[in-house]
Amino acid sequence: MYAKLLTAFLCLLQAAGALAQTSNPFLNDANGRPMYMQTSYRSEGSPYYHEQYSLAEITSVAGKVYSNVNVKINIQTNEVLYMSADGKEMITTMPVKRIRFIGFMSEQGAADRILESFGQPLNTTGTPYTK
């Protein structure tokens, strides 16, 4: 009796294993070798909103406004970089709500541009913003 149950269980287990192997034919190439996804994606362009530092007005989440600050934004990592008074490149640690670029140069000419966050600070990873 135990031998019949054991035999039936082993047959069922073997059938389930065969079904699992053939459920996705795209995991093996034509020769039966496993295929591995290879990514060789190379991004092009700059991660910065504008490559050069631009004069801006920064508004913190607390409402404090900092005027005449040279700013550059890395939109890939959501880092707000600024140039300190002694010429050093720094990254803001305070939560930023809004950045207003003054006289931002674009293809259409010079104009003010505003970047504002939705709920979370601009310099938080994954935060969407409008321009």
Side-chain angles (χ1 to χ4, degrees):
M1 169 107 176
Y2 289 113
K4 288 183 181 181
L5 281 173
L6 183 61
T7 305
F9 178 74
L10 289 176
C11 288
L12 186 64
L13 192 61
Q14 185 177 11
L19 181 64
Q21 289 178 0
T22 60
S23 64
N24 191 349
F26 298 109
L27 296 177
N28 297 329
D29 66 4
N31 296 322
R33 294 180 298 220
M35 294 182 66
Y36 300 102
M37 184 172 177
Q38 296 177 350
T39 57
S40 58
Y41 178 75
R42 301 178 96 182
S43 62
E44 295 180 14
S46 173
Y48 296 104
Y49 181 67
H50 193 257
E51 193 66 35
Q52 288 81 27
Y53 281 93
S54 302
L55 194 61
E57 177 183 276
I58 298 175
T59 306
S60 71
V61 172
K64 184 159 170 109
V65 178
Y66 300 90
S67 299
N68 299 325
V69 181
N70 283 317
V71 175
K72 180 163 73 168
I73 300 173
N74 185 332
I75 57 177
Q76 185 176 10
T77 60
N78 283 23
E79 291 178 333
V80 178
L81 292 89
Y82 67 95
M83 191 66 69
S84 67
D86 59 351
K88 291 183 182 176
E89 187 175 72
M90 308 288 276
I91 297 174
T92 61
T93 56
M94 70 169 185
V96 176
K97 171 70 177 161
R98 179 177 184 254
I99 299 174
R100 183 178 136 240
F101 290 101
I102 303 165
F104 185 79
M105 292 301 296
S106 66
E107 295 159 356
Q108 292 83 19
D112 287 1
R113 289 274 171 96
I114 297 174
L115 297 179
E116 193 161 349
S117 66
F118 294 113
Q120 292 181 318
L122 275 173
N123 50 345
T124 302
T125 304
T127 300
Y129 54 87
T130 61
K131 60 178 181 171

